[in-house]
Amino acid sequence: MREITVALAKGRLANKAMELFEQMGISCEEMKDKSSRKLIFVNEELGIRFFLAKANDVPTYVEYGAADIGIVGKDTIMEEGRKLYEVLDLKMGKCRMCVCGPKEAEERLKHHELIRVATKYPRIAKDYFYNRKYQTVEIIKLNGSIELAPIVGLADVIVDIVETGSTLRENGLVVLEEVCGLSARMVVNQVSMKRENERISRIIKGMQQLVREEQA
Ligand code: PRP
């Protein structure tokens, strides 16, 4: 039997996703050893294997069929714009994509001034400002600690993830506009969805049931 391959975005999301798979009776003992540097974990009995990848790479593995299924944040799915099926909202890892900055930036934003926007998500930022707000902005791509940008004068505002809001608070920034809500999603390769329909559908349904139970 061909193994079903699942790509998990490394980190907190992967741990939570594995808990869900375990509740469905799909476990991988090898994966629990946190000191291990192993990248791929197989459950031969069930014909399934898991690997951990950088979040940004998960949609790539899924689009090319190197993984049949991926678990990754909606932010990454939107930013990568890969061809794949988004089949399920796992309702975990909930947060928001927001335009943030110092309170003073609010007026400049409102008056459609040519502002500079720093972000790790240039595609999402571009889509938001150009296609939804019809506002021309200058987008500057950064790779982390985005909150620094308005503080040191690199940008007027940022487009970034807000979860608890504490990073903003501790740096004197506020949410100015909300772009969209985010959470973890299950994505599936388009060919696998046809070729392995039965097994993949079973996984989707099982996961859906768990998500429903957790929400209740
Ligand atoms: C993310 C995000 C914010 C922060 C938001 O950064 O970019 O900086 O978390 O969380 P909060 O609202 O709970 O404070 P992350 O820690 O992933 O690292 P990064 O700075 O490298 O993007």
Side-chain angles (χ1 to χ4, degrees):
M1 187 170 53
R2 180 183 168 276
E3 270 161 0
I4 295 283
T5 305
V6 183
L8 304 169
K10 248 187 228 174
R12 241 182 323 158
L13 212 57
N15 295 335
K16 282 195 187 172
M18 277 319 292
E19 279 174 28
L20 291 177
F21 276 104
E22 258 177 48
Q23 287 177 46
M24 281 166 56
I26 302 172
S27 65
C28 233
E29 286 307 309
E30 283 182 307
M31 227 167 155
K32 292 179 190 158
D33 178 6
K34 298 288 173 231
S35 63
S36 167
R37 300 288 293 169
K38 228 175 148 173
L39 294 171
I40 189 147
F41 308 92
V42 189
N43 182 323
E44 282 177 24
E45 214 178 306
L46 298 174
I48 192 161
R49 57 182 188 164
F50 295 88
F51 68 82
L52 299 171
K54 279 259 189 209
N56 289 346
D57 296 335
V58 169
T60 313
Y61 283 107
V62 175
E63 182 186 80
Y64 285 92
D68 302 291
I69 295 174
I71 307 285
V72 66
K74 178 71 179 172
D75 52 320
T76 310
I77 298 171
M78 293 196 299
E79 186 59 29
E80 293 299 314
R82 294 279 174 184
K83 266 206 239 155
L84 33 78
Y85 294 134
E86 186 185 313
V87 296
L88 188 63
D89 183 348
L90 301 181
K91 309 266 168 92
M92 59 185 205
K94 281 192 187 170
C95 48
R96 302 180 294 155
M97 184 66 74
C98 298
V99 180
C100 313
K103 189 87 181 76
E104 307 81 76
E106 199 163 27
E107 284 303 306
R108 306 199 59 204
L109 198 60
K110 233 190 265 166
H111 295 119
H112 283 213
E113 284 180 41
L114 182 60
I115 51 164
R116 278 182 164 182
V117 182
T119 186
K120 216 162 43 171
Y121 302 92
R123 189 181 180 127
I124 295 175
K126 205 169 161 191
D127 180 62
Y128 177 70
F129 282 107
Y130 285 68
N131 301 334
R132 275 173 60 190
K133 295 201 70 197
Y134 305 109
Q135 185 169 359
T136 308
V137 296
E138 186 183 343
I139 292 169
I140 302 170
K141 159 95 201 261
L142 289 179
N143 297 297
S145 304
I146 314 296
E147 290 81 359
L148 259 178
I151 298 172
V152 298
L154 175 65
D156 301 286
V157 298
I158 60 174
V159 167
D160 200 18
I161 290 176
V162 178
E163 192 179 354
T164 61
S166 57
T167 311
L168 291 180
R169 263 192 309 277
E170 285 177 32
N171 291 289
L173 305 173
V174 293
V175 171
L176 300 168
E177 290 171 6
E178 183 172 320
V179 177
C180 60
L182 303 168
S183 57
R185 307 290 158 101
M186 182 184 276
V187 293
V188 176
N189 170 270
Q190 297 188 338
V191 176
S192 306
M193 196 65 195
K194 293 195 186 77
R195 209 189 288 157
E196 299 289 348
N197 189 271
E198 210 187 307
R199 285 200 287 167
I200 292 179
S201 295
R202 215 181 306 137
I203 293 173
I204 298 171
K205 279 191 194 127
M207 200 63 105
Q208 199 166 28
Q209 182 64 29
L210 285 176
V211 172
R212 266 200 217 113
E213 283 167 19
E214 285 209 356
Q215 294 295 302

